[in-house]
């Protein structure tokens, strides 16, 4: 497909376990973003990748959260030692770039994470 | 700091009525971008429109129109002759040129169109 894809669509895990969420951006898009959507916090920015530059991690809520982007394409968001407050929908977005005219972000369907 | 306020939490209208969703933003940047996204029950955020801070021209796309007014820091969205398929949560978002290029979202407005 031509859009942003994410997997899994749903994930149920036990408190304390690690989880990995995957995002496949639109082909040719150099910028990739992770957001989290939860009832109490709305839509929050987590981390941003642009090309080969170091990621901007300013939105990560704790050091249990990390992300990587291999080959400038697919990204994995990892949550270690999950807590119940990590339960949310994790959304990935990509854009052609960050310059004027390139900055529109297109979102994937999200991964719904439930920590029991 | 960037902030987006959508004061209307929920709106219900009867089909064919017009409805306006309000969005007020705050930023110290002189160059910024404003967006509207639709989130239907399926959950995926669908891009609707992008506006840059230098273009205050209103835009119309079919039944959708947007009114951008820098003087009041508002970017309101009107749906004309609403339809049941318009039922969704609508988010207004701001992206400034400073920082991580991320979007700052409002809390969303849930629109229900009653047949």
């Amino acid at each position: 497909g031509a859009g942003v894809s994410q997997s899994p669509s749903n994930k149920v895990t036990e408190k304390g376990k690690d989880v990995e969420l995957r995002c496949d951006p639109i082909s040719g898009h150099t910028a990739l973003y992770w957001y989290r959507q939860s009832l109490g916090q709305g839509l929050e920015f987590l981390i941003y990748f642009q090309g080969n530059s170091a990621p901007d991690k300013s939105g990560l809520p704790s050091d249990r959260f990390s992300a990587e982007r291999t080959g400038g394409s697919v990204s994995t968001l990892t949550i270690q030692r999950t807590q119940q407050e990590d339960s949310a929908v994790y959304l990935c977005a990509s854009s052609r770039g960050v310059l004027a005219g390139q900055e529109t972000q297109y979102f994937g369907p999200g991964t719904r994470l439930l920590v029991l | 700091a960037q902030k987006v306020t959508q004061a209307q939490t929920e709106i219900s209208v009867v089909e064919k009525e017009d409805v306006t969703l309000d969005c007020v933003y705050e930023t110290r940047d002189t160059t910024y971008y404003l967006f509207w996204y639709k989130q239907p029950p399926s959950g995926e955020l669908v891009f609707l429109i992008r506006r840059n801070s230098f273009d205050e021209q209103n835009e119309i796309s079919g039944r959708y129109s947007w009114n951008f007014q820098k003087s009041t820091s508002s970017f309101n969205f009107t749906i004309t002759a609403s339809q049941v398929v318009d039922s969704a949560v609508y988010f207004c978002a701001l992206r400034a040129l400073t920082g991580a290029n991320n979007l700052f979202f409002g809390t969303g407005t849930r629109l229900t169109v009653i047949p």
Side-chain angles (χ1 to χ4, degrees), chain B residues 7-52:
Chain B
Q8 304 151 309
T9 306
E10 295 191 26
I11 301 176
S12 291
V13 298
V14 176
E15 199 171 19
K16 297 184 184 177
E17 287 185 345
D18 299 348
V19 59
T20 295
L21 309 182
D22 298 333
C23 173
V24 174
Y25 62 92
E26 296 176 31
T27 179
R28 292 181 180 175
D29 286 50
T30 55
T31 302
Y32 51 89
Y33 301 90
L34 297 164
F35 302 81
W36 276 94
Y37 285 86
K38 174 182 180 180
Q39 189 174 44
S42 61
E44 189 161 345
L45 278 166
V46 178
F47 165 72
L48 295 178
I49 190 172
R50 160 195 169 274
R51 230 15 177 193
N52 74 55

Side-chain angles (χ1 to χ4, degrees), chain A residues 33 35 37 43 45 48 56 91 98 100-101 103-109, chain B residues 33 35 37 39 43-45 47 50 91 95 97 99-103 105:
Chain A
Y33 311 77
Y35 293 85
Q37 185 175 24
L43 274 154
F45 163 71
Y48 150 71
D56 187 311
L91 293 164
V98 296
E103 71 289 326
T104 297
Q105 296 179 27
Y106 298 91
F107 284 79
Chain B
Y33 301 90
F35 302 81
Y37 285 86
Q39 189 174 44
E44 189 161 345
L45 278 166
F47 165 72
R50 160 195 169 274
F91 290 94
R95 182 208 158 201
L97 286 191
N101 298 303
N102 58 287
L103 295 172
F105 285 90

